[in-house]
Amino acid sequence: ALTRFNIDIDDAHTLSVDDLLQLLFSFVVEPAIGQQQPCFIHGFPASQAALAKLNRTDPRTADRFEVYFRGAELANGFYELSDVDEQRQRFVRDNQLRARMNYPQLPVDEHLLSALAQGLPDCAGVALGIDRLLMLQIGATHIEQVLNFPVSRA
């Protein structure tokens, strides 16, 4: 599918299904969606929502969404996972996958797990990219055009 969309990368056969989905989404879907009005994408694969609850009716997906407008991601939101045991299992599985791919393993976030163990009420959150809204408003082509202190000038 990558060659069909002129995506040429070395060793594409070594990519995971999630990597392939992300590549196609980034290079094919994102630039085309929400051109006339904002577009909500939901029902993300469970493997692409590390901190979100799984959907009750379809556990292959997570209760996560993103909002796009004119090809730009403006917001990301999800229903917070509050089960400490499930979150720990996800951290462990992620590190197992990283080890199989010869990536360094990441430390398990014990602070988050400790907080979850104290109890987290049902909640959801949305991160809205004000910088991205500003980009659309002024017609900027790169995010550094709207940041006061971009990484390149740090």
Side-chain angles (χ1 to χ4, degrees), residues 20-115:
L20 292 170
L21 282 173
Q22 190 59 47
L23 265 174
L24 288 170
F25 193 79
S26 297
F27 287 98
V28 178
V29 178
E30 279 182 352
I33 59 178
Q35 294 301 317
Q36 303 303 317
Q37 62 189 20
C39 176
F40 283 75
I41 303 294
H42 58 89
F44 278 78
S47 58
Q48 295 182 7
L51 301 173
K53 281 191 177 183
L54 298 183
N55 185 278
R56 287 183 185 178
T57 58
D58 185 357
R60 297 172 304 166
T61 65
D63 289 335
R64 174 182 170 213
F65 71 90
E66 289 182 352
V67 180
Y68 288 83
F69 187 49
R70 297 186 185 149
E73 179 191 333
L74 298 181
N76 182 6
F78 55 90
Y79 191 14
E80 299 279 349
L81 175 61
S82 57
D83 183 318
V84 66
D85 295 327
E86 183 177 345
Q87 186 64 69
R88 182 177 295 283
Q89 289 173 3
R90 289 186 190 186
F91 287 153
V92 169
R93 279 193 310 264
D94 184 52
N95 271 331
Q96 290 169 343
L97 176 62
R98 294 178 68 82
R100 282 195 304 271
M101 298 174 69
N102 294 320
Y103 293 159
Q105 293 190 30
L106 301 173
V108 170
D109 189 340
E110 294 295 340
H111 294 293
L112 173 62
L113 294 175
S114 176

